[in-house]
Amino acid sequence: MAILITGTPGVGKTTIARLLAERTGKKYIDFAEVVKNERLYAAYDPETNSYVVNLDRARSYMEQLLSCEEILDTHLVEALPPDKVSVAIVLRLDPLVLRERLNKRGYPSRKIRENIESEILDAVLISAIENLGEEKVFEVDTTGKTIAEIIEIITQILNKNGKLYKPGRVDWLEKYYFLIGKEGGII
Ligand code: ADP
Ligand code: MG
């Protein structure tokens, strides 16, 4: 049963998942790499420079692959077999900070906008709850936190001390509703 580190692109999944794997001695799996190497995609979208994952094939491949407590890194929760994920940590990040990070990464503006929208609307959190069940899902607001602080919180959650991190505490809509749809606004 894998430990899933998920969230909108740019929130810090890879950074956190790699370090967590190193600290715990568990195996790190980058889902995007598996998709590429095993050709689990249905198409390639040159416009966004990304693969469109074949969800059925990905799910059955991951069903075979996941056997122990791997640390799995992906935003695509719907491509995973739910019975092979024991806990999902959804990393959250203030959309304005996320926008800066994606800008720095050189993402095209359309992709930045899509990701900001998806962070504001809790898309990954909702997908995790729908696909895995709320019991397994936790969310951590990483805004302004150091990597060490985030690892500490995740360790707490994995030690069954995650009450403070059940879904519902992060609300970007509440924080930024006044910026939505405005000229130069957030989305
Ligand atoms: P993801 O895998 O979710 O797309 P990354 O782990 O690649 O995100 O992180 C995106 C960027 O944010 C990287 O440049 C990384 O160094 C930086 N980053 C990640 N976590 C933090 C943090 N807690 N504080 C500051 N910067 C961070
Ligand atoms: Mg990543």
Side-chain angles (χ1 to χ4, degrees), residues 57-100:
R57 284 188 51 218
R59 229 178 276 119
S60 48
Y61 187 85
M62 295 309 282
E63 178 84 47
Q64 302 306 313
L65 183 72
L66 301 172
S67 56
C68 52
E69 284 202 300
E70 294 92 350
I71 311 273
L72 186 56
D73 168 1
T74 183
H75 66 278
L76 213 61
V77 187
E78 56 271 39
L80 305 174
D83 55 320
K84 289 291 175 89
V85 177
S86 58
V87 52
I89 316 272
V90 184
L91 302 179
R92 307 301 306 269
L93 183 63
D94 185 304
L96 294 183
V97 181
L98 181 61
R99 182 159 69 184
E100 281 309 298

Side-chain angles (χ1 to χ4, degrees), residues 94-164:
D94 185 304
L96 294 183
V97 181
L98 181 61
R99 182 159 69 184
E100 281 309 298
R101 282 210 199 152
L102 295 177
N103 254 322
K104 268 197 201 141
R105 261 190 185 181
Y107 270 36
S109 56
R110 191 188 115 203
K111 217 170 170 188
I112 295 183
R113 203 187 145 95
E114 274 173 17
N115 284 320
I116 296 298
E117 260 176 37
S118 126
E119 178 61 22
I120 292 181
L121 297 176
D122 304 328
V124 177
L125 178 76
I126 291 168
S127 176
I129 294 173
E130 279 179 4
N131 286 285
L132 306 171
E134 188 158 355
E135 277 296 293
K136 293 180 186 173
V137 180
F138 297 84
E139 66 175 338
V140 178
D141 181 4
T142 66
T143 314
K145 292 194 174 75
T146 63
I147 287 158
E149 285 169 334
I150 299 163
I151 293 281
E152 173 60 35
I153 292 173
I154 294 176
T155 307
Q156 219 176 297
I157 295 171
L158 296 179
N159 288 333
K160 310 266 179 245
N161 232 333
K163 269 204 305 285
L164 290 176

Side-chain angles (χ1 to χ4, degrees), residues 96 99 113 116 120 176 178-187:
L96 294 183
R99 182 159 69 184
R113 203 187 145 95
I116 296 298
I120 292 181
Y176 288 124
F178 59 92
L179 285 175
I180 290 170
K182 294 266 164 32
E183 184 82 16
I186 193 162
I187 49 175

Side-chain angles (χ1 to χ4, degrees), residues 32 35-36 41-45 48-53 76:
V35 167
K36 235 189 313 178
Y41 43 83
Y44 178 72
D45 179 0
T48 57
N49 190 29
S50 56
Y51 289 102
V52 181
V53 175
L76 213 61

Side-chain angles (χ1 to χ4, degrees), residues 1-20:
M1 296 272 273
I3 296 163
L4 172 65
I5 306 295
T6 189
T8 311
V11 293
K13 295 183 294 297
T14 303
T15 309
I16 296 295
R18 279 188 188 281
L19 190 62
L20 191 66

